[in-house]
Amino acid sequence: MRCLEVVDSRRPDPRRTIVYVHGGAYVNPPVVQHWDLIAALATENDARVVAPLYPLAPAGTAATVVPLMLDVDAAVRARYGPRVVWAGDSAGGGLALATALALRDQGRTVPDHLVLVAPWLDVTMSNPGVGQVEPRDPSLAVPGLQHAGRLWAGGTDPRDPLVSPGFADLDELPPTTLVVGDRDLFLQDCRDLAERAGRAGVDVSLVEAAGGFHVFPAVTFLPESKAARRHVSARLAENPRG
């Protein structure tokens, strides 16, 4: 699996490493907005950002790709040291969380921080709150997501936390920052994850943007996008290991 690395050329020795997992419903490659967001994260957080280009469904499934992401984590730590943040948007946010859970379950070191931008937490789209938001979401639709989710699941139960990490036990997760807009189909799943993580003792922060569409921080010039990214930067700065 190829990984691309993005750094701020004005800072040749970044102090932080972020692994950023792109979205695209597990079936699409990264688009220009992903690279815009990755570049902003590198610049705003004095970071190198490593972006894995993981196998897409149906060739790639949760059962085959999560182990590859564990290999990415090991390779990044071996090259740059143990302080690693994992981040991602949409499907990539779900995959970043699934990777952190797999690291935890295998007794390995979890990321220093998770930054999840509108993560896709349940490929079945079964949360009752989805129907309340769907008329307001300008970009996502349930039938297409459910189809993509079945491809990503492959032969695994779509409710398995490997596929839909929103169903996982959240104990012992690292500090986690969630960002979502209130016009996003994944809104209620993000709210539920934040609530459950808090009950599990996780240091969790949820940013909801009024009028925010799916993965709005990737439109980097918007005021609400800048505000959300400032919150992310503040969270990373206040966490001594983030």
Side-chain angles (χ1 to χ4, degrees):
M1 177 170 54
R2 288 193 304 145
C3 293
L4 299 182
E5 184 175 305
V6 176
V7 298
D8 183 347
S9 60
R10 298 166 296 180
R11 298 176 180 177
D13 187 23
R15 75 179 193 88
R16 178 176 287 116
T17 299
I18 300 173
V19 178
Y20 191 91
V21 190
H22 72 83
Y26 297 118
V27 297
N28 294 308
V31 296
V32 65
Q33 288 81 10
H34 290 118
W35 299 114
D36 289 343
L37 180 53
I38 286 169
L41 290 172
T43 300
E44 296 165 358
N45 297 284
D46 191 9
R48 69 175 54 83
V49 183
V50 177
L53 302 181
Y54 55 92
L56 301 173
T61 65
T64 60
V65 174
V66 171
L68 296 178
M69 303 306 269
L70 298 182
D71 292 342
V72 169
D73 184 80
V76 168
R77 292 175 186 274
R79 182 170 183 180
Y80 297 121
R83 296 183 60 179
V84 180
V85 172
W86 274 72
D89 70 274
S90 197
L95 183 49
L97 177 56
T99 301
L101 292 165
L103 289 167
R104 178 202 66 185
D105 292 346
Q106 293 184 18
R108 297 164 63 173
T109 303
V110 297
D112 292 331
H113 204 108
L114 286 171
V115 178
L116 308 178
V117 180
W120 193 11
L121 302 170
D122 173 11
V123 303
T124 71
M125 303 301 294
S126 58
N127 194 311
V130 167
Q132 300 172 19
V133 180
E134 189 170 19
R136 305 198 308 272
D137 189 315
S139 58
L140 300 181
V142 170
L145 289 169
Q146 289 175 326
H147 176 68
R150 288 191 294 270
L151 295 178
W152 179 244
T156 305
D157 183 345
R159 293 175 63 90
D160 188 302
L162 189 71
V163 182
S164 296
F167 291 110
D169 171 358
L170 303 177
D171 291 341
E172 300 180 18
L173 279 182
T176 299
T177 301
L178 288 153
V179 179
V180 69
D182 68 3
R183 297 175 64 196
D184 192 315
L185 275 184
F186 300 158
L187 172 65
Q188 191 57 54
D189 281 327
C190 289
R191 287 173 172 171
D192 291 350
L193 185 79
E195 181 181 354
R196 292 179 52 235
R199 291 203 306 267
V202 177
D203 173 7
V204 62
S205 175
L206 171 64
V207 175
E208 285 187 26
F213 49 84
H214 187 56
V215 194
F216 68 90
V219 184
T220 54
F221 59 84
L222 294 175
E224 56 268 38
S225 302
K226 294 178 181 179
R229 295 199 312 276
R230 284 195 298 271
H231 180 79
V232 168
S233 295
R235 288 273 292 167
L236 295 182
E238 73 186 19
N239 174 9
R241 291 187 54 80

